[in-house]
């Protein structure tokens, strides 16, 4: 096999300084990974001249992390400039229609909760707070005329005023008992317990002394037990958008959240007047809707639609309807579907086309689709790296279309770029991490494809260790991604960073097994009724393919590990093969039945198997690692966050008990302060050290040895 040619999509730009001599570079360290500055999504001004973004400067010491807003001109005529300098970070940046001011949410000195602030970039000065709600304010959006602000807040049941919310909060603090009481699911998510507060939308004029208006207070919609927004790791979102004339708001909300354990909870689109009143339902049927936007000419409503059917996974479609509607909207599919799942999207200023991001073959690529419908086309041809957080200016500057995004690769930490809309080439506008990245001894990811025994083409990345020498022999580390609806991407990661994991001298193999995204809808769906065995076979066959292709791999020294669904598959490998000398499992499922019953997310688990456990579908037995505990032989490092509600700690404890009962060498790490991910700096450092020590113990000397 010829060696893969590595070509950077942004080859027209010198991302790094002149390459250092090999002896001047150093092996990647945890500090290199953890202390890289973290760049947030760009917010491009409507006139396309400026980009505001957040830069987080991490720290191992809790409380010393710094996060501030920065601004950079899109033409690259000046270096980025810091806009804020406060202890707390800012979120939800939105530009005023005249491109002079920005709004954002922040919790500053004197604030009990995050509030909305406005900063005038044209005149300078300090940001001014415009809200003062006891329940806080987030996700600000300017009205199209720039004279009012839309935002959201989490409200107590029945509270029609801020004083009522204050009273409800005080009453709960004064209770002499401490109990959580529920009448329906869901009851918790990721790492926190849910309560009975729900998101409301508010409008507040920017005139001095104006008070916010709760648009949903008193409506029948919010009184239903099933009402809510989209639940996520950062809160509950109603995905609101102003209508073009500023008279109303379109938002996404569910009315059937109480179906959580026995059906699909779907968001539908609603319209509510900017003066309040009963919201009108816009979309019908059982499909799920999110992320509404309007075309610049105001004639089209767009949204993301995910079909709801018998499958556990479906690609996201970009849909559209004429605006304004006479009643319910009739959505047509513009792009996305069997081939691509649409990520962030936006229309061009002339309203004739749309740009969107979509996963494809290990990269998140930029596509363009006609607004009238038709085949999407990739903009340029991405051969390395990945885009994120796409933004398109709503107006052209000098006739030029301005597009911004985050670009990164496994060896280029994230930076803000301006994208050429014709070629897809990016010009870096920031270089916060390039100097540090240039000093690391690492190589871009390489890749290969093979055809599995089931006749399916499977894609893999692999990362080479520092000081790689193809004449030497290296252990193979099979690194398994979570999801399963996910894919390995050519990006820079903090958790399970392949270069840091391979630093002791391992070649790290990252395979997109059946069930992964980015290879068509059917490939993602084919994991249904085969949750572990088929994907695990793909992993083993990918390792076999790599061993046949690359003489520098030592077949006698293979190790494997992963987290979340990657932990599930690791646990399956522990009971089905002895090819790996050692395994590392973080947040891994051990018993399909107890994971179904205790996880915060239930229904898709039983649908993936065929029905609930009491219906005795065979997969509950045949693909549950616990049922095969007699076959445990491989040493396993088991890790779990005590606050993990997605794969609760009982799974790790059950696995640990089985390993100990079978007298298999094993080590258990419980993280009292962590949830599904290990996020704290010193905990992360310790985890990487433990992984390295565990594999070194079972491989012998981890450094590469000559043949």
């Amino acid at each position: 096999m010829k060696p893969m040619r590595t070509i950077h999509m942004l080859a027209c730009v010198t991302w790094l300084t002149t390459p250092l001599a090999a002896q001047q570079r150093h092996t990647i360290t945890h500090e290199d990974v953890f202390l890289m500055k973290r760049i947030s999504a760009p917010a491009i001004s409507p006139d396309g001249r400026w980009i505001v973004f957040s830069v987080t400067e991490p720290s191992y010491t809790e409380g010393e992390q710094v996060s501030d807003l920065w601004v950079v001109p899109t033409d690259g005529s000046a270096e980025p400039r810091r806009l804020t300098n406060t202890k707390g970070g800012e979120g939800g940046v939105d530009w005023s229609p005249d491109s002079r001011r920005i709004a954002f949410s922040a919790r500053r000195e004197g604030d009990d909760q995050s509030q909305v602030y406005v900063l005038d970039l044209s005149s300078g000065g300090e940001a001014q707070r415009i809200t003062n709600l006891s329940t806080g304010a987030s996700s600000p959006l300017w009205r199209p005329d720039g004279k009012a602000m839309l935002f959201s807040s989490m409200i107590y049941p029945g509270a029609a005023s801020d004083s009522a919310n204050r009273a409800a909060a005080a009453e709960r603090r004064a209770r002499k008992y401490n109990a959580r009481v529920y009448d329906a699911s869901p009851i918790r998510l990721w790492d926190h317990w849910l309560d009975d507060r729900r998101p409301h939308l508010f409008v507040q004029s920017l005139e001095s002394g104006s008070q916010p208006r709760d648009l949903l207070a008193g409506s029948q919609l919010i009184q239903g037990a099933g009402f809510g927004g989209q639940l996520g790791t950062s809160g509950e979102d109603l995905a609101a958008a102003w209508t073009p004339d500023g008279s109303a708001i379109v938002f996404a909300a569910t009315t059937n959240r109480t179906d959580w354990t026995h059906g699909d909870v779907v968001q539908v689109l609603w319209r509510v007047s900017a003066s309040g009143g009963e919201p009108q339902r816009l979309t019908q049927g059982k499909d799920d809707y999110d992320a509404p936007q309007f075309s610049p000419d105001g004639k089209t409503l767009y949204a993301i639609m995910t079909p709801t059917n018998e499958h556990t996974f479906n690609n996201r479609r970009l849909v559209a309807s004429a605006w304004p509607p006479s009643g319910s909207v009739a959505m047509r599919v513009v792009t996305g579907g069997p081939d691509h799942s649409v990520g962030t999207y936006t229309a061009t200023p002339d309203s004739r086309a749309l740009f969107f991001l979509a996963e494809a073959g290990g990269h998140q690529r930029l596509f363009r689709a006609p607004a009238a419908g038709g085949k999407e086309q990739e903009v340029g041809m991405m051969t390395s790296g990945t885009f994120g957080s796409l933004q398109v200016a709503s107006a052209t500057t000098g006739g030029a279309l301005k597009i911004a995004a985050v670009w990164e690769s496994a060896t280029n930490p994230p930076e803000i770029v301006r994208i050429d809309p014709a070629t897809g080439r990016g010009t870096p506008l920031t270089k916060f991490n390039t100097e540090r990245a240039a000093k690391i001894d690492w190589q871009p990811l390489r890749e290969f494809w093979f055809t599995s025994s089931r006749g399916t083409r499977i894609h893999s990345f692999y990362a080479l260790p520092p000081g790689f020498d193809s004449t030497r022999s290296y252990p193979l580390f099979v690194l398994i991604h979570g999801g399963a609806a996910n894919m390995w991407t050519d990006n820079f990661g903090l958790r399970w960073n392949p270069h840091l994991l391979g630093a002791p001298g391992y070649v790290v193999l990252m395979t997109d097994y059946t069930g992964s995204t980015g290879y068509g809808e059917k490939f993602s769906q084919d994991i249904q009724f085969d949750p572990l065995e088929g994907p695990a076979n793909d992993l083993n066959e990918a390792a076999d393919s790599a061993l046949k292709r690359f003489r520098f791999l030592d077949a006698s020294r293979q190790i494997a590990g992963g987290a979340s669904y990657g932990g599930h598959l690791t646990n399956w490998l522990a009971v089905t093969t002895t090819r790996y000398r050692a395994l590392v499992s973080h947040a891994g499922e051990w018993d399909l039945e107890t994971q179904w019953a205790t996880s915060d997310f239930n229904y898709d688990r039983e649908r993936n198997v065929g029905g609930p456990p009491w219906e005795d579908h065979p997969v509950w037995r045949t693909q549950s690692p616990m049922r095969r505990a007699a076959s445990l032989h491989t040493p396993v490092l088991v890790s779990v966050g005590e606050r993990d509600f997605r794969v609760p700690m009982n799974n790790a404890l059950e696995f640990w008990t089985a390993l100990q009962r079978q007298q298999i060498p094993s080590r258990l790490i419980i993280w009292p302060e962590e949830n599904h991910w290990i996020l704290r700096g010193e905990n992360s450092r310790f985890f990487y050290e433990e992984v390295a020590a565990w594999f070194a113990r079972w491989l012998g000397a981890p450094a590469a040895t000559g043949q």
Side-chain angles (χ1 to χ4, degrees), residues 270-385:
W270 304 81
R271 175 174 58 183
V272 64
S273 169
S275 59
E278 191 63 41
Q280 171 194 2
R281 180 168 177 162
L282 295 178
T283 55
Q284 304 299 322
K286 62 180 182 178
D287 295 326
D288 185 78
Y289 291 88
D290 192 16
Q293 289 184 30
F294 288 92
S295 60
D297 64 10
K299 296 180 180 180
T300 305
L301 169 64
Y302 292 104
I304 293 294
M305 183 273 285
T306 305
T308 299
N309 50 36
E310 72 277 10
H311 297 293
T312 56
F313 176 87
N314 293 285
N315 279 348
R316 291 157 42 105
R317 278 79 164 158
L318 178 59
V319 296
S321 178
W323 189 266
S326 57
S328 298
V329 297
M331 290 292 193
R332 60 179 174 85
V333 175
V334 177
T335 189
D339 294 333
H340 295 117
S341 186
V342 176
T344 55
Y345 75 95
T346 188
T348 56
D350 62 8
S351 300
R352 298 175 62 183
L354 298 112
F355 287 98
F356 67 94
L357 299 180
E359 295 178 332
H363 310 274
Q364 187 158 242
R365 305 171 187 268
L366 177 64
F367 291 86
R368 181 180 178 125
K375 181 64 177 176
E376 68 268 17
Q377 295 290 332
E378 184 177 0
V379 181
M381 182 178 293
M382 176 172 279
T383 56
S384 71

Side-chain angles (χ1 to χ4, degrees), residues 137-304:
S138 62
S139 305
L141 288 174
W142 295 84
R143 195 166 68 189
D145 64 3
K147 296 180 179 180
M149 194 75 66
L150 173 72
F151 60 88
S152 64
S153 188
M154 296 294 290
I155 302 303
Y156 289 97
S161 65
D162 196 42
S163 59
N165 276 297
R166 291 180 187 274
E171 184 274 330
R172 296 184 185 203
R173 288 194 300 269
R175 288 174 178 172
K176 294 183 178 181
Y177 64 89
N178 185 11
R180 297 185 181 99
V181 180
Y182 299 93
D183 294 307
S185 293
I187 62 174
R188 58 184 187 172
L189 189 75
W190 291 111
D191 63 351
H192 62 278
W193 293 89
L194 302 176
D195 59 27
D196 55 359
R197 291 177 299 163
R198 292 293 183 268
H200 286 214
L201 295 173
F202 289 77
V203 169
Q204 182 170 323
S205 169
L206 297 185
E207 294 181 3
S208 179
S210 296
Q211 296 299 311
R213 180 189 305 114
D214 186 341
L215 304 184
L216 303 183
S219 67
Q220 292 295 314
L221 174 64
I222 65 169
Q223 295 176 28
F227 169 75
Q230 182 68 52
L231 291 170
T233 57
S234 58
E236 195 164 348
D237 182 27
L238 289 174
W242 285 98
T243 57
D245 62 4
S247 66
I249 291 94
V250 172
F251 64 98
T254 184
T255 58
N256 75 323
R257 182 177 288 178
T258 52
D259 292 349
W260 189 267
T261 57
H262 56 270
D264 291 297
V265 175
V266 298
Q267 311 289 119
V268 300
L269 296 185
W270 304 81
R271 175 174 58 183
V272 64
S273 169
S275 59
E278 191 63 41
Q280 171 194 2
R281 180 168 177 162
L282 295 178
T283 55
Q284 304 299 322
K286 62 180 182 178
D287 295 326
D288 185 78
Y289 291 88
D290 192 16
Q293 289 184 30
F294 288 92
S295 60
D297 64 10
K299 296 180 180 180
T300 305
L301 169 64
Y302 292 104
I304 293 294

Side-chain angles (χ1 to χ4, degrees), residues 565-578:
Y565 215 96
H568 304 356
L569 288 172
T570 300
N571 295 353
W572 181 257
L573 294 177
V575 297
T576 57
T577 181
T578 57

